[in-house]
Each structure stands twice: as structure tokens, then as C-alpha cells.
């Protein structure tokens, strides 16, 4: 964990629809009260649990969209006092989990003033909540921004990934997500708010961490939205 209270941890790959394999990454932030805020938790192993326990006590577990929920049950079982926070639409998908809140544009009092957030609506695939950690200048996207090496996928999946724009030369919005923005007027104000954040570092679940020219990369990724 760095001096701003930010830690990034990569997990094992997961297999999604169509057999596509994705890397995983989570973000851990130590809040001012010492508790841990965990975004998109990776698979919970004994090693991961030891590393987390060494950092502090988990108080809040964030599911940033309806696609990133695989590890929630294990994490909540390991830290039952921690609150689960769901992106819009996830509670209906996972009635087996008891969510404390559904995320909105207003940060929870537990992290208000430290972490900002914006709900990106208007996408038919999923509604994603994007976060900004003020102390480190880090903007955190889940699936709306992605980038894979050209050789990450094999066989026909490599061709599909190329056609979808998943293997462009920088972070970008895959074509399927662009097409899924069926309500662009709803999305534009949210993206504009995100682009107004003073981004120093760009973190995504599926792609490299951008530490140089992060603001320009983010602006370029959404130039198509208008």
C-alpha cells in the first residue's frame, strides 16, 4: 500500500461468456478511519486474506457493476461485518446477498470526501459506477475501459477481440459497450463529470495501469461519445 492509502492487487484469470478469459484486479483503499474499502474483490485465497488482514479491517466491499460479483460471497463470509455495496441492477441479479446500499452519485458517508463516484447510466450491458480516489488522483473503471495484448486471446476469440476493439493500442471502450450505450444523452453528463476529475492515474479491471498522460488517455477513450 502506498503513502496515499492505495493498493492494487491482481488476481487469477476468470472465464466469462463464450470462454473468453479475463485478468482480474482489485483496488484496496485505507480510509481515514483506518478501515479498508475494497473495490471489485478478486478470488479470496488464504494468501490474499493474510495480505488484507495485514492492511486493516475490511469495512466496505464494492461491486462496481453487475458483471463483477463472483467473489462477493466469499469475501462477505470472511468479513461478515463489512457492508456490501451494489451497482444498480446487481441486487436483482444476486438476491442471495444482502446489500447494505445501492450505489448512487453520492458517496457513502464512510468514504465521502475521500472517494468520489459517478453512476454511468444508459448502457444496456451494465450500469457501471466509476470512482475517483482523491489522495492518489486515481480514476477507477471496471469494464467500460479495457485493453488486451494482441496475443492475449487465441483462435477465433482473438479475431472477435480485434473486431470488438479490445486489442486497440491503448485503453478504449470496446465496440460492444459503445453499441450498448442506447441512451447516450444519459451517459454524457456522467462521463463529463468523470473527465473533470484531476486524473493522475487510470486503473481498470482488464488492462494496464496508466500512470503517464492518464487524463489524455481517458479523454481520448470517450471522444467518440461526443
Amino acid at each position: 500500500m502506498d503513502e496515499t492509502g492505495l493498493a492494487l492487487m491482481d488476481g487469477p484469470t476468470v472465464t466469462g461468456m463464450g470462454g473468453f478469459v479475463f485478468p482480474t484486479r482489485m483496488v484496496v483503499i485505507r480510509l481515514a478511519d483506518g478501515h479498508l474499502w475494497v473495490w471489485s474483490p478478486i478470488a479470496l485465497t488464504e494468501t490474499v486474506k493474510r495480505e488484507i488482514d495485514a492492511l486493516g479491517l475490511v469495512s466496505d466491499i464494492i461491486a462496481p457493476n453487475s458483471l463483477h460479483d463472483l467473489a462477493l460471497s466469499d469475501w462477505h463470509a470472511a468479513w461478515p461485518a463489512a457492508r456490501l455495496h451494489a451497482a444498480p441492477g446487481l441486487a436483482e441479479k444476486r438476491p442471495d446477498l444482502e446489500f447494505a446500499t445501492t450505489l448512487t452519485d453520492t458517496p457513502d458517508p464512510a468514504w465521502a470526501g475521500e472517494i468520489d463516484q459517478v453512476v454511468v447510466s444508459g448502457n444496456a450491458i451494465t450500469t457501471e459506477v466509476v470512482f475517483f480516489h482523491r489522495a492518489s488522483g486515481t480514476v477507477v473503471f471496471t469494464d467500460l475501459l479495457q485493453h488486451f495484448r494482441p496475443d492475449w486471446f487465441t483462435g477465433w476469440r482473438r479475431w472477435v477481440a480485434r473486431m470488438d476493439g479490445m486489442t486497440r493500442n491503448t485503453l478504449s471502450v470496446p465496440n460492444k459497450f459503445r453499441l450498448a450505450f442506447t441512451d447516450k444523452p444519459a451517459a454524457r453528463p456522467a462521463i463529463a463529470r468523470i473527465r473533470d476529475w484531476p486524473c493522475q492515474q487510470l486503473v481498470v479491471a482488464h488492462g494496464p495501469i496508466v500512470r503517464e498522460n492518464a487524463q489524455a488517455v481517458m479523454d481520448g477513450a470517450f471522444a467518440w461519445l461526443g
Side-chain angles (χ1 to χ4, degrees):
M1 182 167 280
D2 67 18
E3 65 278 3
T4 71
L6 176 74
L8 308 176
M9 299 179 66
D10 290 346
T13 58
V14 297
T15 302
M17 187 179 299
F20 283 84
V21 176
F22 296 90
T24 59
R25 174 177 294 133
M26 73 176 176
V27 175
V28 181
I29 294 173
R30 181 181 288 124
L31 301 173
D33 65 4
H35 291 147
L36 301 181
W37 181 95
V38 178
W39 170 92
S40 189
I42 60 176
L44 185 61
T45 64
E46 291 184 5
T47 299
V48 169
K49 190 174 188 307
R50 283 196 301 269
E51 292 176 351
I52 293 297
D53 284 337
L55 294 175
L57 179 65
V58 175
S59 61
D60 297 277
I61 300 171
I62 310 299
N65 68 25
S66 60
L67 306 176
H68 280 235
D69 62 321
L70 293 179
L72 295 180
S73 296
D74 290 343
W75 278 72
H76 200 223
W79 292 279
R83 297 183 301 157
L84 292 179
H85 304 273
L90 181 56
E92 292 80 6
K93 175 187 175 184
R94 295 295 304 270
D96 57 308
L97 294 173
E98 185 175 346
F99 291 99
T101 71
T102 295
L103 297 162
T104 68
D105 286 339
T106 302
D108 188 270
W111 61 82
E114 300 180 62
I115 304 169
D116 298 327
Q117 62 198 59
V118 170
V119 178
V120 181
S121 303
N123 195 286
I125 295 176
T126 190
T127 298
E128 181 166 311
V129 186
V130 181
F131 296 90
F132 177 64
H133 180 226
R134 294 186 182 184
S136 65
T138 300
V139 175
V140 185
F141 278 89
T142 312
D143 290 321
L144 290 182
L145 292 182
Q146 300 181 24
H147 178 244
F148 297 86
R149 301 189 316 268
D151 62 349
W152 175 266
F153 300 104
T154 60
W156 63 268
R157 295 180 184 87
R158 180 179 296 181
W159 179 85
V160 171
R162 184 171 65 251
M163 295 299 293
D164 191 39
M166 297 165 70
T167 55
R168 292 185 177 102
N169 59 2
T170 187
L171 285 174
S172 65
V173 182
N175 292 337
K176 60 179 172 290
F177 280 98
R178 297 188 188 199
L179 292 172
F181 273 108
T182 55
D183 189 353
K184 291 183 176 65
R188 287 186 183 112
I191 296 301
R193 286 185 57 198
I194 293 166
R195 291 172 65 178
D196 280 343
W197 287 332
C199 178
Q200 301 298 315
Q201 177 173 248
L202 190 55
V203 172
V204 300
H206 312 302
I209 299 163
V210 178
R211 295 186 172 91
E212 294 186 5
N213 302 314
Q215 186 76 51
V217 170
M218 183 170 62
D219 288 346
F222 288 101
W224 63 272
L225 188 59

